[in-house]
Amino acid sequence: MITKKTSRLLGAAVVAAAVVAGVAACSGSGSGSSGSAGGTYTFWDPYPQFDASADWTKLVEQCGTDAGVTVKRTGYDTSDLTNKALLAGQQGNSPDLLLVDNPVVSTLAEAGILTTTSENKLDTSDIQKNILAAGQLDGKTYGVPIGANTLALYYNKAVLSAAGVDASSITDWSTLTDALGKVTAAGKKGITFSAIGTEEGSFQFLPWFWGSGANLTKLDSDKAEKALTLWTDWLKKGYAPNSVINNTQTTSWQEFATGDYAFGENGTWQLGNVKKAGIDYGILSIPAMDGGAAPAPTGGEFMTIPVQKDTARYATSKKIAECLTSTKSFVKTDTTLSYIAPTEAAQKEQVAANPELKPWVDAVAAAKGRTSDDLGTKYPKISKELWTAVQNALSGSQSPADALKAAQTAAAAATK
């Protein structure tokens, strides 16, 4: 027999299958069980790369010790974590704490397996509103972000200098396109990015989409067409390589790391790699069409407290969550994960320790949650049609206008 709650969970599982993290963070495998009595609390996260010796694991365990309990941590692959969380919620044995990629929060909230911050009493007053928005649905907040990452443009100072381009002159799409023309005329390569037919492709296109003033509820607007035309024109002119159609964010980065490209669209998580590449680099916010910084999508995870049969457990879960989201932990954790902290106080400490993070703090301040604008669980369905439109336009199988018109028709049908 399928109960109303079970029906919601099964439907959410279908949506969850379409949610793939568009950021460089975090996936893995493992097993876990619901929180059990006797001082043991369970914690699931999407960081399987961290074993028992990792700083992250030690921090989680220490926060448990500080709360007077033992924390049993398990890491899962990002998509696997979502499905396991939905199944555990259906079976009534959710973990005590659950750390999930921000677009997944609305899926789990709609399924009815997360407590709200008004219920679990987690404080969100100091969290930047644009970062917190990714964990909100129907006016309720379902967790606390542990940090955020986003996209910007890395640029190669040597390539720009050889082409006679001053990075500070790049303020909008027109000046960026002019710079790409000068770079390619000088014998170098222009810009590389990821336009693959997955969430990564949507993630990388969104700054240009939003930077045009377009809205995800109307994929075929004139503004959206301008954004997609920008990318298709770059390919036609040779300013961007045809490889972007299949590029992940990793392969796109590998192209930039050759030193031949003027620009590479990528995230905070590449800071360590750019130094290893030995490139004399700078960071630019992705420009909006008419100037200013375009809203880039936020990546990162939310600390949530799932619904428990024994509601008395929430008090201790809250203590553990508060420890993991304190300013001290934000700075330690977010620096390790290449995240920008979600509070001003922690951001100041990060920049004081590493001034190179300042452009990323600015980028995160202008960023936007993918499930914002009350999209919630509609976002994955819209995103799928958006990345399909990008693929069709860049491959030349459809014009930007036709590709987006087809995308809007499909998205409208999928989100009824």
Side-chain angles (χ1 to χ4, degrees), residues 71-323:
V71 174
K72 180 182 178 183
R73 173 190 164 262
T74 306
Y76 290 99
D77 173 84
T78 301
S79 56
D80 192 30
L81 175 62
T82 305
N83 292 327
K84 288 186 181 298
L86 288 166
L87 181 60
Q90 178 184 342
Q91 296 173 339
N93 61 352
S94 293
D96 291 286
L97 296 111
L98 184 61
L99 188 68
V100 293
D101 191 27
N102 69 66
V104 175
V105 175
S106 58
T107 298
L108 301 181
E110 188 173 84
I113 66 174
L114 297 181
T115 60
T116 66
T117 53
S118 62
E119 292 168 335
N120 58 45
K121 307 306 180 185
L122 287 175
D123 183 12
T124 62
S125 59
D126 292 334
I127 305 294
Q128 288 184 334
K129 302 304 180 186
N130 63 320
I131 301 176
L132 188 64
Q136 296 175 326
L137 181 68
D138 297 332
K140 298 178 180 179
T141 304
Y142 288 89
V144 178
I146 64 164
N149 54 26
T150 194
L151 297 165
L153 293 179
Y154 287 83
Y155 64 88
N156 187 315
K157 293 182 179 179
V159 172
L160 290 186
S161 178
V165 175
D166 181 355
S168 66
S169 70
I170 300 169
T171 57
D172 54 20
W173 290 1
S174 177
T175 51
L176 175 57
T177 300
D178 286 346
L180 295 177
K182 291 177 181 178
V183 167
T184 53
K188 288 293 187 178
K189 298 177 181 179
I191 186 169
T192 181
F193 47 86
S194 169
I196 194 171
T198 68
E199 177 61 21
E200 286 189 66
S202 290
F203 189 74
Q204 291 238 322
F205 183 61
L206 279 173
W208 312 96
F209 182 88
W210 283 333
S212 73
N215 190 291
L216 286 170
T217 58
K218 188 169 176 54
L219 297 180
D220 59 348
S221 67
D222 290 343
K223 292 178 179 178
E225 184 182 344
K226 288 179 181 178
L228 189 48
T229 298
L230 179 73
W231 271 20
T232 54
D233 282 352
W234 285 351
L235 262 67
K236 290 175 182 177
K237 294 177 180 178
Y239 296 169
N242 289 327
S243 58
V244 299
I245 297 174
N246 296 313
N247 269 350
T248 63
Q249 293 183 114
T250 298
T251 56
S252 171
W253 177 259
Q254 290 167 349
E255 289 179 336
F256 180 75
T258 63
D260 293 331
Y261 284 85
F263 300 95
E265 180 181 349
N266 230 294
T268 0
W269 53 91
Q270 300 293 6
L271 275 173
N273 289 331
V274 74
K275 294 174 182 176
K276 290 179 183 177
I279 294 173
D280 187 10
Y281 76 99
I283 303 290
L284 281 176
S285 294
I286 296 172
M289 180 169 62
D290 296 322
T298 54
E301 287 78 41
F302 268 66
M303 183 69 64
T304 67
I305 298 179
V307 173
Q308 301 292 331
K309 294 177 182 177
D310 181 3
T311 57
R313 298 183 71 82
Y314 296 152
T316 298
S317 294
K318 175 176 177 283
K319 290 180 182 179
I320 298 169
E322 286 176 336
C323 174

